[in-house]
RNA sequence: GCCCCCGUAGCUCAGUGGAUAGAGCAUCCCCCUCCUAAGGGGAGGGUCACACGUUCGAUUCGUGUCGGGGGCACCA
């Protein structure tokens, strides 16, 4: 809802043609409407004015419900108010027609010149088309994947990687200064378990052995770790390097090696997925650098803790939790949310006024506790900081049946399995193209199908088709920026222009809503418009003016397809 | 039992206070003398889980019920 004070003059409503952008156009129409509203309802101090893009082209290019919202105070029929508004509306070179429809909607039809302007805009901006400066260079951290080094990444991590990485790309495209961070625990009980499992394999034990640890890791990859350790191989992960000691009794050496080995495996998978991190943070460092102790100390000082039953409690109920939580256990150890709070204090102190944690939905219970701990510290952290994006479970299907087992990992499907089987582009697309908060069924058969069933190829093909036409033409696309666009009048052309003009707001919206899937849907629609157009009309026609206008249009579409695919981390091939 | 997410066409999913609820797949029909048919055009298919409420108007907001999933430890 846009609330605008009614102090506008006709002068400010004038916009030079070369400046017309979808957003400026919207502002232009808003100003025209405000002027009309002032004439029709002079007593109205301020107005909430909604100008939207109708879903159907039959309802014009823009529509407003202004007459309906005025109906109550003016005590008049909305349609009558709408008539008066239209009569009072200043004329504009960008508005071809207005009409009243439905219960009192006013529909605006733009002039062709207003619609054509988007092409010049796109051709001028190129790779920057669709980007904006909402973030104004402010720093944001996106923490995602954050898998512990106890095994290969599974599909769930893949979804986190795809969604988190797309979020980072979206935020970058909308003017934020993005840091990608990966957090993991290299010292907890699960790592002890890992160490023990590797040691058993070093000694030649198998999970079938009666002495195999009850909760030991059973996957084949443990054998690989053990073999490599015994062979004294060197492994280098993105954030650490270790050589295997070859001594099956040296638990510390096994632990360090296993962690490095599995981190390297994860790094390889992530690299194959085209996902990269700026920083790796260790839970163990929070302890060794005294940050956990400091946080506990600060929480005690803040007065929100108490002792009971030989344990130290945090009064999280003061901050919206349904019961208080133990911080320090009877045995002296801390519960898991304490380092989590310490970690987020650290993020805050590093200057991230905005932090987005992309996690699996199974971690949702930590949100309240972490935020409560941060509020209890009373160090100026806003309520509701940090943001969370939680993704739901992924089910993998093949041949109509659920796939559960990976030979390598044992009990789950790995990200690597998917990349190997269906390819990088399709895997990324399928994992990012759904709303994070709905459960996802990953259909391997569909994802690997090189047919029109597969939305990835459908979109990429639209891009490749344009490239192919441009190659056939053989001209210099930079000359298209000055093409005469007036021949573009066909419904297919106007549809495509309309779709193109929606790209910037789609990007903006996707970033604001933290919803990368909106980009995927936009691209599918855009590709559909392009394919329809392609099928209906030939671009390389004899009429030079028509040809250049069409080439300018599809070149603009190519930029939008390319930039959109970039945001998803999916390639835009020139040939298929 | 409590908390979170979801419930939209046969299937997979968009939409989310407004005008006849959309797409892809599947089903049926049609289109390559033409820049890649990895394409296009058309048909059928829906009480937007259900009930009540707020509103001029609810698939969208609120409450409740039912279904699916996940979380509910002095585990991480």
């Amino acid at each position: 809802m846009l609330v605008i004070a009614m102090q506008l003059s006709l002068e400010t409503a004038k916009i030079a043609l070369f400046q017309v952008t979808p957003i400026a156009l919207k502002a232009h129409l808003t100003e025209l409407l405000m002027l009309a509203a002032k004439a029709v309802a002079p007593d109205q101090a301020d107005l909430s004015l909604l100008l939207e893009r109708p879903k159907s082209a039959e309802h014009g290019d823009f529509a407003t419900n202004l007459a309906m919202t005025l109906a109550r105070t003016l005590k008049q029929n909305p349609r009558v108010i709408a008539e008066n508004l239209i009569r009072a509306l200043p004329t504009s070179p960008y508005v071809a027609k207005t009409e009243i429809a439905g219960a009192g909607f006013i529909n605006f039809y733009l002039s062709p010149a207003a619609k054509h302007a988007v092409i010049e805009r796109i051709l001028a901006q190129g790779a920057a088309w669709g980007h904006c400066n909402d973030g104004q260079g402010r720093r944001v951290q996106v923490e995602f994947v954050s898998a512990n080094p106890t095994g290969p990444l599974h599909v769930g991590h893949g979804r986190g990687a795809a969604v988190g990485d797309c979020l980072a790309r979206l935020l970058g495209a909308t003017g934020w200064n993005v840091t990608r961070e990966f957090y993991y625990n290299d010292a907890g009980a699960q790592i002890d378990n890992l160490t023990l499992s590797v040691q058993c394999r070093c000694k030649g034990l198998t999970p079938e052995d009666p002495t195999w640890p009850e909760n030991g890791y059973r996957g084949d990859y443990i054998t690989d770790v053990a073999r490599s350790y015994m062979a004294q191989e060197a492994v280098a992960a993105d954030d650490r390097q270790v050589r295997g000691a070859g001594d099956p009794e040296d638990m510390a050496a096994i632990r360090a090696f296993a962690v490095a080995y599995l981190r390297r495996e994860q790094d390889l998978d992530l690299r194959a997925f085209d996902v990269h991190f700026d920083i790796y943070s260790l839970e163990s460092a929070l302890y060794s650098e005294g940050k956990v102790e400091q946080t506990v100390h600060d929480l005690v000082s803040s007065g929100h803790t108490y002792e009971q039953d030989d344990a130290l409690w945090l009064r999280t109920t003061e901050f919206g939790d349904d019961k208080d939580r133990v911080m320090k256990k009877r045995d002296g150890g801390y519960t898991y949310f304490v380092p989590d709070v310490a970690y987020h204090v650290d993020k805050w102190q590093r200057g991230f006024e905005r932090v987005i944690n992309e996690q699996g939905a199974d971690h949702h219970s930590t949100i309240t506790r972490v935020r409560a701990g941060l509020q209890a510290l009373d160090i100026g952290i806003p309520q509701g900081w940090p943001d969370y994006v939680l993704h739901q479970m992924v089910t993998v299907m093949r041949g109509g049946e659920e796939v559960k087992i990976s030979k390598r990992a044992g009990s789950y499907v790995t990200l690597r399995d998917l990349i190997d089987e269906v390819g990088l582009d399709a895997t990324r697309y399928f994992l990012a193209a759904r709303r994070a908060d709905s459960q996802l069924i990953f259909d391997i058969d569909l994802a690997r199908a090189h047919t029109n069933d597969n939305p990835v190829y459908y979109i990429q093909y639209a891009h490749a088709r344009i490239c192919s036409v441009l190659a056939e033409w053989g001209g210099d696309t930079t000359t298209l920026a000055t093409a005469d666009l007036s021949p573009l009048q066909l419904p297919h052309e106007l549809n495509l222009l309309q779709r193109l003009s929606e790209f910037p707001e789609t990007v903006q919206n996707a970033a604001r809503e933290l919803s990368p899937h909106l980009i995927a849907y936009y691209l599918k629609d855009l590709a559909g418009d392009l394919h329809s157009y392609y099928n209906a009309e030939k671009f390389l026609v004899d009429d030079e003016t028509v040809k250049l206008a069409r080439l300018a249009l599809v070149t603009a579409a190519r930029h939008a397809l390319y930039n959109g695919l970039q945001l998803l981390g999916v390639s835009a091939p020139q040939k298929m």
Side-chain angles (χ1 to χ4, degrees):
Chain A
M1 228 36 122
L2 202 57
V3 182
I4 296 174
M6 292 190 49
Q7 291 164 344
L8 305 166
S9 71
L10 200 50
E11 293 308 307
T12 59
K14 288 180 185 161
I15 300 172
L17 189 56
F18 64 86
Q19 289 179 324
V20 172
T21 68
I23 290 162
L25 209 44
K26 198 167 172 178
H28 175 65
L29 294 177
T30 302
E31 292 187 20
L32 296 180
L33 266 172
M34 296 310 293
L35 290 165
K38 195 175 181 182
V40 170
D43 299 334
Q44 203 75 4
D46 57 28
L47 288 167
S48 55
L49 195 159
L50 188 65
L51 198 63
E52 61 176 15
R53 293 178 179 279
K55 289 174 199 157
S56 158
E58 294 166 30
H59 299 133
D61 300 304
F62 284 94
T64 181
N65 61 352
L66 178 61
M68 286 133 101
T69 58
L70 282 173
R72 198 179 310 174
T73 45
L74 292 181
K75 296 198 168 70
Q76 283 177 357
N77 183 324
R79 288 192 69 106
V80 173
I81 299 172
E83 281 174 34
N84 294 334
L85 283 170
I86 286 180
R87 206 169 298 134
L89 208 61
T91 56
S92 159
Y94 310 116
V95 179
K97 187 173 77 163
T98 54
E99 68 177 19
I100 303 167
F105 290 99
I106 299 174
N107 297 336
F108 291 88
Y109 292 82
L110 300 178
S111 66
K115 295 185 178 189
H116 292 158
V118 69
I119 294 181
E120 297 162 29
R121 187 82 179 175
I122 295 173
L123 296 184
Q125 295 192 359
W129 164 248
H131 294 202
C132 67
N133 195 28
D134 276 6
Q136 298 178 307
R138 285 173 290 170
R139 297 182 69 203
V140 59
Q141 183 212 61
V142 181
E143 184 210 319
F144 60 116
V145 185
S146 292
N148 284 340
T150 53
L153 300 174
H154 55 68
V155 205
H157 294 127
R159 189 175 193 184
V163 171
D165 187 58
C166 290
L167 284 173
R169 288 168 189 253
L170 273 170
L171 290 165
T174 51
W176 291 83
N177 177 359
V178 183
T179 298
R180 295 152 199 250
E181 185 149 329
F182 186 114
Y183 174 74
Y184 67 96
N185 182 359
D186 60 337
Q190 292 310 312
I191 301 296
D192 292 343
N193 195 5
L194 169 74
T195 308
L196 201 55
S197 305
V198 173
Q199 183 186 41
C200 288
R201 285 289 193 182
C202 288
K203 294 177 173 174
L205 293 177
T206 67
E208 287 70 40
D209 236 287
T211 53
W212 185 265
E214 194 184 345
N215 297 317
Y217 290 96
R218 296 160 167 267
D220 287 354
Y221 66 93
I222 296 292
T223 316
D224 300 336
V225 179
R227 190 186 303 122
S228 180
Y229 172 79
M230 295 306 286
Q232 301 186 18
E233 289 175 3
V235 295
D238 279 357
D239 65 325
R240 52 174 70 209
Q241 253 180 297
V242 172
R243 178 175 290 281
D247 176 1
E249 297 307 326
D250 189 341
M251 291 297 270
I254 294 175
R255 167 192 302 259
F257 183 82
V259 167
Y261 186 100
L262 292 170
R263 281 266 43 265
R264 181 192 61 181
E265 293 296 297
Q266 293 182 351
D267 286 340
L268 290 173
D269 291 353
L270 289 167
R271 207 167 296 154
F273 206 41
D274 197 18
V275 170
H276 308 271
F277 289 90
D278 300 306
I279 296 179
Y280 293 84
S281 287
L282 295 179
E283 181 175 336
S284 63
L286 295 169
Y287 286 97
S288 64
E289 292 167 14
K291 288 177 177 161
V292 175
E293 283 295 340
Q294 185 65 45
T295 298
V296 172
H297 176 264
D298 291 345
L299 282 170
V300 171
S301 309
S302 76
H304 295 285
T305 60
Y306 60 94
E307 290 193 35
Q308 187 183 303
D309 304 332
D310 300 323
L312 181 65
W313 294 69
L314 180 66
R315 232 183 284 278
T316 53
T317 49
E318 291 179 2
F319 305 98
D321 204 352
D322 50 6
K323 61 180 181 184
D324 291 339
R325 305 291 170 175
V326 168
M327 292 169 58
K328 193 171 189 174
K329 295 181 282 186
R330 215 175 281 158
D331 67 10
Y334 295 114
T335 55
Y336 71 89
F337 91 93
V338 177
D340 276 355
V341 173
Y343 177 43
H344 282 86
V345 170
D346 178 61
K347 291 186 184 186
W348 178 255
Q349 288 170 344
R350 278 190 277 151
F352 293 110
E353 64 179 275
R354 190 167 182 211
V355 164
I356 295 162
N357 294 326
E358 205 292 347
Q359 304 178 338
D362 53 342
H363 288 85
H364 94 264
S365 62
T366 69
I367 298 175
T368 311
R369 273 169 247 185
V370 167
R371 285 182 179 159
L374 294 172
Q375 289 306 302
L377 285 167
D378 196 22
I379 51 174
I381 295 176
Q383 273 187 354
W385 188 97
D387 285 335
Y388 284 85
V389 172
L390 303 182
H391 63 260
Q392 295 285 330
M393 304 226 70
V394 181
T395 307
V396 179
M397 305 286 284
R398 184 199 281 117
E401 285 180 15
E402 184 173 350
V403 185
K404 279 188 163 161
I405 303 302
S406 155
K407 188 162 182 301
R408 182 151 161 263
S411 57
Y412 50 81
V413 179
T414 65
L415 174 59
R416 177 52 69 100
D417 293 340
L418 283 181
I419 299 173
D420 288 349
E421 187 164 354
V422 311
L424 167 65
D425 286 337
T427 304
R428 281 195 73 122
Y429 182 89
F430 274 70
L431 290 176
R434 298 260 188 280
R435 282 174 49 171
D437 59 10
S438 70
Q439 290 163 41
L440 166 59
I441 296 183
F442 192 110
D443 183 341
I444 288 187
D445 302 319
L446 176 59
R448 63 179 302 178
H450 285 223
T451 70
N452 50 0
D453 302 0
N454 191 329
V456 188
Y457 298 114
Y458 184 79
I459 296 166
Q460 290 180 321
Y461 185 42
H463 182 267
R465 266 186 154 171
I466 296 170
C467 293
S468 164
V469 169
L470 292 173
E472 178 77 19
W473 172 55
D476 178 1
T477 52
T478 58
T479 63
L480 296 170
T482 53
D484 173 9
L485 302 173
S486 59
L488 301 176
Q489 302 284 353
L490 296 170
H492 279 122
E493 293 165 342
L494 298 178
N495 281 346
L496 194 47
L497 284 166
Q498 169 69 19
R499 185 79 65 191
L500 290 172
S501 73
E502 288 166 11
F503 184 61
E505 52 199 84
T506 301
V507 174
Q508 223 171 1
N509 200 26
R512 210 161 12 208
E513 304 284 323
L514 303 178
S515 299
H517 75 277
L518 295 175
I519 301 298
Y521 276 88
Y522 174 85
L523 289 175
K524 224 160 81 171
D525 289 340
L526 174 58
D529 292 338
L530 190 280
H531 286 310
S532 293
Y533 182 35
Y534 182 95
N535 231 263
E537 306 296 334
K538 197 169 162 69
F539 307 154
L540 299 175
V541 292
D542 291 338
D543 184 323
E544 192 69 8
T545 315
V546 173
K547 178 170 80 181
L548 291 179
R550 289 182 175 174
L551 289 175
L553 173 58
V554 298
T555 301
R558 182 193 156 182
H559 282 298
L561 285 164
Y562 182 89
N563 294 356
L565 285 168
Q566 277 289 278
L567 290 171
L568 295 179
V570 175
S571 69
Q574 306 201 3
K575 270 187 188 166
M576 290 175 71

